[in-house]
Amino acid sequence: MSALKEINHTGLSTSRTEHDSMGEVQVPKSHYWGAQTERSRNNFKIGPAASMPEEIIEAFGFLKKAAAYANSDLNVLPVDKRDLIANVCDEIIKGELFAEFPLVIWQTGSGTQSNMNANEVISNRIHVLQGKEMGEGILYVHPNDDVNKSQSSNDTFPTAMHIAAYKILIDVTIPGIEKLRDTLAVKSEVFKKVVKIGRTHLMDATPLTLGQEISGYVSQLDHGLKALCHTLDHLSELALGGTAVGTGMNTPQGYDIAVAKYIADFTGLPFRTADNKFEALSAHDALVESHGALKQIAVSLMHISNNIRMLASGPRCSIGELHLPENEPGSSIMPGKVNPTQNEAVTMVAAQVMGNDVAITVAGSNGQFQLNVFKPVMAANFLQSARLIGDACCSFNEHCALGIEPNYDGIKKHLETSLMLVTALNPHIGYDNSAKIAKAALKNNKSLRESAISLGLVTNEQFDEWVRAEDMIGTIK
């Protein structure tokens, strides 16, 4: 929007004049944000779809409400102002005021303008709820002196980052991963006796069962979940109370502990004040660590979904050992073609998360002196990864994993024709003789049995006794 007043078709002004420490600025009449928000809106027109994540906005609702309560308990904010602030914060938490947060992530690296966006919206919303017109008279609840009391953008934004990150992991990411893990665990048990050929280096190897193969995927997701849950403790530490540089300047005694307790109460999550506020402002190792676990899970999902789609490849001219659910037509030109679309979606999500991890790694390494100024991009990338993984796991589970079935004919064909069953002969005739059998079978297009007998290395009866795929799969638990 231009700094000049806008006039609608009736000739009436559609903007109002707001003031901040830099002077006047025109702000849309129909919105609750103020001068600092509007300056940011004008100065950072970067990216068409880079809005501050709603999870961060919700987190600001929690932390501003908690700050009002803590300040009131410590006798630096009147009870009536506390309640007015808390009521608007509840509206923010419910998502009723998200349209009042127009800023993008590409702004000041401390998130100052988003912090002030929250302060201005809360203050102006209270003004209107008291029956006043926007821009009319003096604000009873001041955005800086009341809503932002005992706070700095430098400790509120990292607090919002931790609240949002912790909540989305608990609400979206972990449940999604658990759902997929549990489905694969069931499949592993159901298919534990389906003997199939193994593959290493993309080449035939010795047998295993389909259940054993899938159990590896279950274990990967289990380890990823454990790693992710381990990072929650660090994420539960909140910077609020550190104010500008970590010293807690302009906060009453005990504020940091009290405000963290209120945030824990309001969210139902085990938040606590950070042990070291200087780390909490200057470094964001907790997000780097936690996203590292998300990257680990992305690596696992890439591996799992790629393996499943390759095992299902075909249906006639490739591996074809699995049947996947058929969800939609796969081609606009090839009739009857069906593609592993859920697998492709998961692998794209995994690639995005891996890319996000690079951005978070670079951003996290750039905390200079008392402040990291890459906070918004870290928050946005983390929240995107967390939601993508949770959603992708749910989608893959519902539309693919639940419907996975063995293609018994394909499994049997590959098992019976594999040359690597010859490995079972090693203890009886030695590695070199076993290799001769396999190479001759391949060269002469014969079965292992035919090759072994024609070379005079094994009798028919010995082959039956020694080469049994079901005896080559170890102990099935």
Side-chain angles (χ1 to χ4, degrees):
M1 175 188 283
S2 166
L4 299 175
K5 286 189 178 181
E6 290 198 352
I7 308 296
N8 64 18
H9 67 279
T10 65
L12 299 176
S13 173
T14 61
S15 62
R16 68 181 190 276
T17 302
E18 288 275 355
H19 301 81
D20 61 12
S21 60
M22 297 186 70
E24 292 186 356
V25 65
Q26 298 302 311
V27 179
K29 269 187 176 179
S30 58
H31 289 284
Y32 294 122
W33 67 72
Q36 293 196 48
T37 302
E38 186 64 16
R39 290 190 192 281
S40 181
R41 202 164 75 102
N42 288 330
N43 291 338
F44 298 97
K45 295 179 179 179
I46 306 173
S51 298
M52 188 60 62
E54 291 183 353
E55 294 88 355
I56 292 291
I57 298 167
E58 178 191 53
F60 267 108
F62 283 118
L63 75 87
K64 294 294 179 182
K65 179 179 179 180
Y69 269 83
N71 282 323
S72 178
D73 288 354
L74 296 169
N75 301 312
V76 295
L77 185 73
V79 172
D80 68 324
K81 289 189 175 182
R82 176 201 72 185
D83 292 341
L84 291 168
I85 293 171
N87 288 340
V88 177
C89 287
D90 286 339
E91 292 181 338
I92 293 173
I93 293 166
K94 293 175 185 175
E96 296 172 1
L97 296 175
F98 283 167
E100 301 301 320
F101 293 83
L103 302 187
V104 296
I105 61 175
W106 315 113
Q107 53 164 282
T108 176
S110 62
T112 297
Q113 287 133 2
S114 283
N115 179 47
M116 282 307 304
N117 189 177
N119 294 333
E120 291 173 344
V121 166
I122 293 169
S123 180
N124 283 324
R125 174 63 175 159
I126 291 170
H127 193 66
V128 170
L129 290 175
Q130 291 179 317
K132 307 289 181 60
E133 293 286 337
M134 294 288 291
E136 172 194 352
I138 298 174
L139 296 171
Y140 177 61
V141 176
H142 193 277
N144 293 84
D145 297 336
D146 297 318
V147 184
N148 200 59
K149 183 177 285 294
S150 305
Q151 302 155 62
S152 161
S153 300
N154 297 351
D155 67 351
T156 59
F157 202 92
T159 296
M161 290 164 68
H162 278 218
I163 294 171
Y166 199 113
K167 276 191 92 277
I168 199 168
L169 291 180
I170 293 296
D171 294 344
V172 178
T173 316
I174 292 173
I177 300 167
E178 288 176 335
K179 187 176 291 186
L180 178 58
R181 186 270 317 270
D182 292 347
T183 292
L184 292 175
V186 171
K187 294 291 181 181
S188 176
E189 180 66 19
V190 171
F191 304 147
K192 68 180 181 181
K193 294 184 178 180
V194 180
V195 182
K196 65 184 293 292
I197 200 65
R199 294 174 180 85
T200 59
H201 301 269
L202 297 180
M203 306 298 283
D204 300 353
T206 55
L208 76 168
T209 74
L210 181 57
Q212 290 172 327
E213 190 165 35
I214 294 176
S215 76
Y217 309 153
V218 177
S219 183
Q220 279 187 282
L221 294 178
D222 258 336
H223 284 113
L225 279 166
K226 289 175 183 176
L228 187 59
C229 290
H230 178 75
T231 69
L232 291 175
D233 183 63
H234 201 178
L235 277 180
S236 70
E237 295 189 20
L238 302 181
L240 212 55
T243 63
V245 296
T247 60
M249 182 179 179
N250 290 347
T251 62
Q253 184 69 30
Y255 166 81
D256 58 344
I257 296 173
V259 75
K261 185 179 184 305
Y262 273 117
I263 292 173
D265 291 344
F266 295 152
T267 61
L269 298 171
F271 291 113
R272 67 185 191 278
T273 191
D275 296 331
N276 189 300
K277 306 297 191 301
F278 305 103
E279 179 206 4
L281 271 63
S282 179
H284 294 310
D285 293 352
L287 264 78
V288 174
E289 175 190 17
S290 191
H291 197 275
L294 290 177
K295 182 190 70 173
Q296 175 185 337
I297 292 164
V299 169
S300 296
L301 290 173
M302 182 74 84
H303 173 254
I304 293 167
S305 53
N306 269 337
N307 274 0
I308 289 173
R309 71 168 163 179
M310 284 191 285
L311 288 172
S313 58
R316 292 187 173 178
C317 300
S318 192
I319 295 176
E321 292 185 350
L322 293 180
H323 289 303
L324 304 185
E326 298 183 354
N327 298 317
E328 61 271 319
S331 173
S332 61
I333 189 173
M334 292 177 280
K337 194 173 195 298
V338 179
N339 294 330
T341 52
Q342 288 294 319
N343 306 65
E344 292 164 5
V346 170
T347 54
M348 286 190 288
V349 163
Q352 182 66 57
V353 172
M354 293 175 197
N356 287 351
D357 194 70
V358 173
I360 287 176
T361 300
V362 173
S365 68
N366 272 279
Q368 287 86 29
F369 302 114
Q370 277 65 63
L371 188 66
N372 177 291
V373 289
F374 285 73
K375 301 183 194 299
V377 74
M378 292 189 76
N381 278 274
F382 186 100
L383 294 170
Q384 184 192 47
S385 291
R387 184 164 297 281
L388 284 175
I389 286 178
D391 289 351
C393 284
C394 287
S395 180
F396 187 74
N397 180 71
E398 179 181 356
H399 300 292
C400 183
L402 284 168
I404 291 174
E405 293 293 338
N407 177 359
Y408 292 101
D409 289 340
I411 288 173
K412 182 181 179 181
K413 180 186 72 173
H414 291 142
L415 185 62
E416 291 179 348
T417 58
S418 173
L419 299 178
M420 289 304 101
L421 296 181
V422 77
T423 308
L425 295 176
N426 284 4
H428 305 284
I429 64 174
Y431 181 96
D432 290 338
N433 283 331
S434 298
K436 287 179 183 177
I437 293 171
K439 290 181 178 180
L442 180 62
K443 180 179 179 181
N444 299 316
N445 196 25
K446 290 184 177 181
S447 69
L448 283 177
R449 179 190 300 272
E450 291 171 331
S451 181
I453 294 172
S454 66
L455 289 172
L457 294 170
V458 173
T459 67
N460 189 59
E461 292 74 17
Q462 288 173 324
F463 193 91
D464 283 338
E465 180 183 355
W466 295 337
V467 183
R468 295 169 52 86
E470 61 269 27
D471 294 338
M472 302 169 68
I473 56 175
T475 303
I476 302 176
K477 296 181 181 179

